[in-house]
Amino acid sequence: MKLTTMTQVTIDGVMQGNGGASDDRRNGFERGGWARGKGDDETRTFITQTYQRAESFLFGRRTYELFAGSWGSIDQMRAHPIGVALNEAPKYVASATLTALGWEDTTVLRGDLAAAISELKAKPGGELQVHGSGALTRWLLENDLVDEMTLIVIPVILGQGARLFPETGPDLALDLVESRVDSNGVSIQVFRPAGRPRYATA
């Protein structure tokens, strides 16, 4: 399977609290819900179709619990095409502490995470998708396990909140696979990791 990630970020790279005002208030964050209603119909269709083509899903613990309590539990959300896709596909969670699994067809990955994910990727099929899950996405990139990364960039600057990429960390070159901008200024950029960047020499 191809491992793909999809993350909604602001212009200043924040990914925290995109869906709702009360979803994630860690570290005094108060500007949640910044992505809701921002994309046009074309962008919403793109996001839905992305979920629908997944063979299975991989989550970090925080995103898994958030999704399980919404897409996995609320009838109206379960009936949405994204909810149907999530509920019908196998779900994997990278967590050393999660014990209570309230969402059907969920497996917790423990121990050697790189080996477990490599084993999943070796299975035949379409995509193993990661949505949100910032810490997991960064770890996957650092360990060369990501085949494709989609960033949905919302035209807003928050000035606070957890960012997808920290101020310091490993570097990574990206090849552009696809790029589009919708009528509301939301951009969708699909990248393929391409090793380390090249830097100018003196």
Side-chain angles (χ1 to χ4, degrees), residues 169-184:
D171 52 357
L172 179 65
L174 300 169
D175 287 337
L176 183 65
V177 176
E178 179 184 351
S179 179
R180 63 172 84 177
V181 181
D182 76 11
S183 61
N184 294 336

Side-chain angles (χ1 to χ4, degrees), residues 20 35 52 59 72 180 187 189-190 195:
Q52 289 176 319
F59 297 104
R180 63 172 84 177
S187 68
Q189 300 165 1
V190 183

Side-chain angles (χ1 to χ4, degrees), residues 38-167:
K38 294 297 188 285
D40 65 11
D41 289 343
E42 187 176 311
T43 293
R44 284 190 287 273
T45 297
F46 174 88
I47 293 171
T48 299
Q49 289 175 344
T50 298
Y51 277 90
Q52 289 176 319
R53 70 171 185 254
E55 188 75 22
S56 54
F57 295 94
L58 173 63
F59 297 104
R61 176 173 178 161
R62 184 180 297 276
T63 302
Y64 172 79
E65 291 180 332
L66 179 65
F67 276 40
S70 53
W71 297 111
S73 303
I74 300 170
D75 288 342
Q76 184 179 358
M77 295 184 74
R78 286 176 63 91
H80 187 279
I82 290 177
V84 171
L86 284 163
N87 284 286
E88 289 183 349
K91 290 162 284 290
Y92 300 91
V93 190
S95 175
T97 56
L98 185 65
T99 54
L101 300 176
W103 203 358
E104 67 275 9
D105 207 0
T106 296
T107 302
V108 178
L109 302 180
R110 305 186 194 279
D112 189 340
L113 186 58
I117 292 172
S118 294
E119 188 175 319
L120 288 175
K121 290 184 62 177
K123 292 183 177 182
E127 293 182 36
L128 173 61
Q129 289 184 2
V130 180
H131 293 266
S133 307
L136 176 60
T137 295
R138 287 189 293 275
W139 183 88
L140 291 166
L141 287 165
E142 290 169 13
N143 287 273
D144 299 321
L145 290 167
V146 175
D147 297 302
E148 209 167 82
M149 175 174 63
T150 299
L151 297 179
I152 300 176
V153 184
I154 310 300
V156 62
I157 296 171
L158 289 192
Q160 67 166 222
R163 286 162 171 75
L164 176 58
F165 300 111
E167 282 189 30

